[in-house]
Amino acid sequence: MKFLREPYYKKNIKGQLKRFDERDAGFSRGVTEGNLYASMHNQSIINLRKEIPRKTILDHSMVVAARTVDYILRKNVLAREGEAFRNRRYKLKNPNPVAITKIMKEIAHWLGVDLVGVTELNPLWVYSHWGEHNAVYTNAAKPGELIDIPPKYNRVIVLSIEMDYSVLRQTPDPEPASAMGYSKMAFCVSSLAIWIRELGYEAIPCVNEIGLSIPMAVDSGLGEMGRNGLLITREFGPRVRIGKVLTDLPLVPDSPIDIGVQRFCEKCDRCAKHCPSKAIMFGPRTDKSVDRSNSEGMLKWPINTMNCLNWWVKNGASCSVCIRVCPWNKPNRPFHRFVRLMVERDVFTRFFIFMDKLAGYGRQSKDVNYNAFQDPSVIEKDCTHQLEY
Ligand code: SF4
Ligand code: SF4
């Protein structure tokens, strides 16, 4: 791993970058172009009637239950400024930035975060306007409202949470690992924001809202963006959820890193091959968009987000196949750490990609049955036969 003076993507900037309008994001267009997100949830209910294995009422209820904390905190806390609960009188005066950064990171890990980095807030990564999806789900603004972050919020704490390796391998069948990641992240960003406010400083906790999480995560040294359009971290690959806290607490920024993802993705196209909606491109990067949900001006592998979302609707569940099949998606164990050391140096990369496939990594798991968490007597017979309508 190399620490960089500036993020790797700087050399890929080929034109004028503009702030992204969140109304053009796939999830927002999903609301305005056919209410796709709601249709996906409707399809998940229709699937219950069809008695599809691994899309049963027990599978469904686990996914929704895992998302509970996210649903509540998004509606009430996320993407907003706010006050301290108790201490509105005192302020931690002139904290040493190195010391308070170290303490903040310890607190973040104690709350349950796996990776944490800090960066200066680049205004370019803040959405220009609220999109329909986040406006509706947070109730913090109206769709189309300008997003104007006061200049005092000059730091972003970027947080990452690992999603369960075994459970996520069930994708594209419903899997509760992503939902659990959202809930844990909502808890962590909200709690960290309250910790900062109790010190007398300002904080805005967000998960997907307010700005583009991936470039902020890259700037803060958590990883690089891969062909699949996701953050790829050194520790967990793309199997992470990202959250952020915008703040005026005087924190020391981290350096961006080079872990070899760019060189790796140039030799690998497994996510593109396995994407059920053909949303991921093969071949070299481009600075052109494939639809209006991509911003132009930077060489990257743009994703056709509407292809992706339309497939989610058909599937009746979100999809993480591009996470499951990625060779960087491994448990953070000694053997995989050793292989990672090699590919970071671009040693035997093609051989490792070949071996990864041969060893069967990335295949869908149909064995892990989280219905086993339920009372066995409920699932003695096919539970879908017990549905009452
Ligand atoms: S989430 Fe699924 S459909 Fe969307 S890009 Fe990834 S693999 Fe393709
Ligand atoms: S599957 Fe391969 S090409 Fe796709 S993001 Fe992962 S390493 Fe890159």
Side-chain angles (χ1 to χ4, degrees):
M1 181 173 80
K2 274 192 273 180
F3 291 100
L4 305 173
R5 223 191 279 274
E6 52 180 30
Y8 73 86
Y9 61 74
K10 279 277 168 84
K11 63 179 185 305
N12 292 338
I13 296 177
K14 300 292 169 201
Q16 186 71 34
L17 299 182
K18 289 191 300 198
R19 279 171 72 188
F20 187 73
D21 187 332
E22 204 209 339
R23 288 172 293 185
D24 289 333
F27 279 142
S28 295
R29 291 176 61 197
V31 177
T32 52
E33 296 175 24
N35 217 1
L36 297 180
Y37 203 62
S39 305
M40 178 190 80
H41 287 302
N42 291 343
Q43 185 60 45
S44 75
I45 303 300
I46 292 166
N47 286 345
L48 306 185
R49 279 179 176 271
K50 289 185 180 166
E51 303 185 359
I52 302 170
R54 295 183 305 281
K55 291 187 178 176
T56 69
I57 196 166
L58 291 176
D59 301 299
H60 161 84
S61 59
M62 279 290 286
V63 173
V64 180
R67 196 81 189 244
T68 307
V69 173
D70 174 57
Y71 286 145
I72 295 168
L73 290 176
R74 257 210 276 180
K75 270 276 182 257
N76 297 287
V77 180
L78 298 188
R80 296 156 165 84
E81 295 185 287
E83 293 193 324
F85 281 142
R86 305 277 182 222
N87 170 31
R88 295 180 190 165
R89 188 178 300 178
Y90 301 109
K91 180 170 182 170
L92 186 69
K93 203 174 159 196
N94 299 329
N96 175 309
V98 174
I100 199 69
T101 303
K102 187 165 176 275
I103 294 168
M104 179 280 292
K105 289 184 176 180
E106 281 173 11
I107 299 280
H109 287 303
W110 178 72
L111 286 168
V113 159
D114 292 299
L115 307 173
V116 53
V118 176
T119 182
E120 284 178 24
L121 176 63
N122 182 346
L124 204 53
W125 304 142
V126 176
Y127 294 132
S128 61
H129 299 78
W130 277 89
E132 280 74 3
H133 183 82
N134 281 328
V136 168
Y137 277 86
T138 60
N139 207 22
K142 297 270 177 293
E145 268 182 33
L146 284 171
I147 300 186
D148 189 16
I149 302 295
K152 65 184 172 189
Y153 291 97
N154 59 4
R155 291 286 182 274
V156 193
I157 305 165
V158 188
L159 311 166
S160 227
I161 285 181
E162 179 190 13
M163 296 184 281
D164 188 289
Y165 177 76
S166 307
V167 175
L168 193 124
R169 284 180 63 208
Q170 295 165 108
T171 188
D173 289 334
E175 48 77 19
S178 308
M180 185 62 97
Y182 269 109
S183 279
K184 285 184 181 173
M185 187 52 85
F187 165 77
C188 289
V189 291
S190 306
S191 304
L192 195 61
I194 293 295
W195 178 75
I196 293 169
R197 289 175 192 160
E198 292 290 328
L199 298 179
Y201 290 83
E202 308 283 342
I204 303 175
C206 339
V207 181
N208 291 348
E209 310 82 10
I210 301 292
L212 294 162
S213 298
I214 296 176
M216 291 185 194
V218 171
D219 290 353
S220 68
L222 295 194
E224 299 176 39
M225 188 167 86
R227 182 187 290 277
N228 56 9
L230 300 172
L231 176 73
I232 299 195
T233 63
R234 195 170 189 240
E235 293 78 1
F236 314 109
R239 191 173 32 87
V240 290
R241 290 249 75 86
I242 312 170
K244 58 250 183 201
V245 179
L246 279 49
T247 183
D248 62 347
L249 191 66
L251 299 168
V252 181
D254 289 290
S255 300
I257 54 172
D258 172 353
I259 53 173
V261 168
Q262 303 310 304
R263 296 179 291 277
F264 197 98
C265 289
E266 285 162 8
K267 299 184 175 72
C268 172
D269 53 15
R270 192 175 303 166
C271 51
K273 271 189 192 132
H274 288 269
C275 171
S277 72
K278 310 283 174 246
I280 302 174
M281 64 176 280
F282 290 90
R285 300 168 185 82
T286 174
D287 62 345
K288 300 281 173 271
S289 57
V290 293
D291 75 358
R292 74 166 216 262
S293 294
N294 312 130
S295 43
E296 296 198 331
M298 190 192 292
L299 286 172
K300 58 180 187 288
W301 292 285
I303 302 294
N304 189 324
T305 48
M306 295 316 278
N307 276 15
C308 173
L309 199 51
N310 280 315
W311 151 253
W312 289 23
V313 175
K314 213 166 121 194
N315 189 41
S318 63
C319 163
S320 297
V321 170
C322 47
I323 298 177
R324 191 191 84 208
V325 300
C326 178
W328 288 78
N329 168 32
K330 293 286 182 303
N332 190 17
R333 295 195 190 125
F335 173 72
H336 297 303
R337 284 201 284 273
F338 169 73
V339 175
R340 199 176 54 211
L341 281 178
M342 307 283 273
V343 299
E344 277 182 21
R345 287 159 182 76
D346 205 11
V347 177
F348 305 131
T349 301
R350 286 188 197 280
F351 170 74
F352 282 121
I353 294 171
F354 174 76
M355 288 306 291
D356 195 80
K357 191 175 173 198
L358 203 67
Y361 286 113
R363 280 198 203 127
Q364 186 186 18
S365 162
K366 301 189 177 180
D367 303 335
V368 186
N369 184 352
Y370 44 82
N371 288 345
F373 296 151
Q374 316 278 342
D375 181 344
S377 66
V378 176
I379 54 167
E380 219 163 63
K381 286 183 264 162
D382 183 352
C383 64
T384 53
H385 293 304
Q386 299 171 12
L387 290 182
E388 287 179 6
Y389 301 109

